[in-house]
Amino acid sequence: MTNHLSISYNDRTLFHLLRHFSMVNENAIQCLIDRGYSQALIDENLQIPGSKFHDFFATDIKSLMLQCATIKETTSLRQNGYLHISYEYEPLKFPKGIGTIGVISLEALKSLTSSQPVLKKNRGHLLLHTTVSELPTTNTLTLVLKEQQSSNFLITAFPGPTALPLPSTKFSTEFNETCKLFWEQHVFLSLP
């Protein structure tokens, strides 16, 4: 369980996680502003399409960590030097899910009413995007951690199952190809 793990993070982690919150509380926003992030940049990152936690589930990293402390992890795997931990929350406790899924496989997309996927620039990559009438919800949460001796450093967290990172020249050629293949078979969802 992560409540036995020591997890650390910094303002860059919080800034990255803006894209995974539907709303961020005032303390988190003030923390970022105090560290030199502009309100415009914060707002822009909150608007990035992707999987987002419902505001009743978490509005910053602290509230997210509190949610992780209440439940036992369901799966964990190591991939490319990172530990991926997933949690499954009780549908009875969160009947509307813990968040929305903003990325889905092209295969799973067939079960949703959507527009034809189109390639759009997203964080420097041409990736598939589509609009759906309603974003699917999930009760799965994934944490991605960099294991360190004193504590595990939080890289990212999002509602939904483990996904691969966007391709990067920082990765080995083999892992980068695996990431490219993953993103060729997945699509970002957004509302009209």
Side-chain angles (χ1 to χ4, degrees), residues 46-74:
L46 282 166
Q47 299 307 314
I48 291 175
S51 303
K52 295 188 184 280
F53 295 109
H54 289 312
D55 59 0
F56 58 77
F57 183 76
T59 58
D60 65 5
I61 295 176
K62 284 183 182 135
S63 58
L64 188 61
M65 292 299 105
L66 286 172
Q67 290 286 14
C68 293
T70 67
I71 189 168
K72 193 175 183 333
E73 68 189 62
T74 50

Side-chain angles (χ1 to χ4, degrees), residues 120-131:
K120 279 191 201 170
K121 268 275 203 230
N122 186 328
R123 290 172 262 168
H125 297 273
L126 274 177
L127 301 169
L128 290 169
H129 289 73
T130 188
T131 54

Side-chain angles (χ1 to χ4, degrees), residues 9-19 21 23-46 59-61:
Y9 52 89
N10 59 25
D11 57 294
R12 286 191 304 280
T13 311
L14 176 57
F15 180 72
H16 166 79
L17 278 177
L18 288 175
R19 67 191 63 180
F21 289 110
M23 189 200 94
V24 180
N25 66 46
E26 288 301 318
N27 288 342
I29 290 172
Q30 193 57 54
C31 171
L32 289 172
I33 288 171
D34 291 348
R35 304 276 189 314
Y37 295 93
S38 71
Q39 185 68 55
L41 196 56
I42 292 167
D43 292 343
E44 182 183 309
N45 276 268
L46 282 166
T59 58
D60 65 5
I61 295 176

Side-chain angles (χ1 to χ4, degrees), residues 58-152:
T59 58
D60 65 5
I61 295 176
K62 284 183 182 135
S63 58
L64 188 61
M65 292 299 105
L66 286 172
Q67 290 286 14
C68 293
T70 67
I71 189 168
K72 193 175 183 333
E73 68 189 62
T74 50
T75 60
S76 67
L77 71 97
R78 284 176 175 75
Q79 181 178 62
N80 201 41
Y82 295 98
L83 176 62
H84 297 241
I85 300 175
S86 293
Y87 302 86
E88 193 67 37
Y89 290 83
E90 277 297 319
L92 286 173
K93 188 174 179 190
F94 294 103
K96 295 179 181 176
I98 62 158
T100 57
I101 296 180
V103 173
I104 197 168
S105 71
L106 288 170
E107 187 59 37
L109 182 65
K110 293 175 185 172
S111 67
L112 300 177
T113 304
S114 70
S115 63
Q116 184 64 33
V118 293
L119 286 171
K120 279 191 201 170
K121 268 275 203 230
N122 186 328
R123 290 172 262 168
H125 297 273
L126 274 177
L127 301 169
L128 290 169
H129 289 73
T130 188
T131 54
V132 290
S133 54
E134 192 177 346
L135 291 170
T137 59
T138 183
N139 277 34
T140 303
L141 173 138
T142 297
L143 294 181
V144 180
L145 306 168
K146 181 75 175 164
E147 291 179 287
Q148 297 173 331
Q149 291 216 302
S150 57
S151 68
N152 294 296

